[in-house]
Amino acid sequence: MKSALNLSLFLLSLFSFSDKAFSLSDYQIRNICMKERIKSICIKNLQEKRANLKKGKLIEIPVIPYKR
């Protein structure tokens, strides 16, 4: 009984999470790059990463520590 429950939960979680990638829109990319010094390079890099993400390639995501 317990293994059947585990199997059903596993299958449910497997089918509920699909391989959909939610990438940034052009408007969101422009808002993010407003803070950068060279906006055109920032926009180009983010659009390139978005294209790679849509193709299924791996991308690096930098983690910025939160400062209080």
Side-chain angles (χ1 to χ4, degrees):
M1 181 69 181
K2 187 175 182 180
S3 62
L5 178 65
N6 287 340
L7 179 63
S8 64
L9 288 175
F10 173 72
L11 291 175
L12 178 67
S13 65
L14 183 66
F15 291 118
S16 65
F17 298 114
S18 61
D19 292 335
K20 294 180 183 176
F22 298 105
S23 57
L24 296 173
S25 67
D26 288 333
Y27 179 75
Q28 290 171 327
I29 289 175
R30 276 188 256 122
N31 281 342
I32 291 171
C33 292
M34 292 285 276
K35 302 171 191 167
E36 296 295 322
R37 183 171 170 222
I38 304 174
K39 296 175 188 171
S40 61
I41 293 175
C42 175
I43 291 172
K44 181 181 174 185
N45 287 337
L46 286 178
Q47 287 176 343
E48 184 178 320
K49 286 182 182 182
R50 178 179 61 187
N52 287 339
L53 184 64
K54 285 186 178 181
K55 290 178 186 176
K57 296 180 182 178
L58 295 176
I59 61 171
E60 292 184 23
I61 301 173
V63 177
I64 302 170
Y66 177 73
K67 295 180 183 176
R68 288 185 167 200

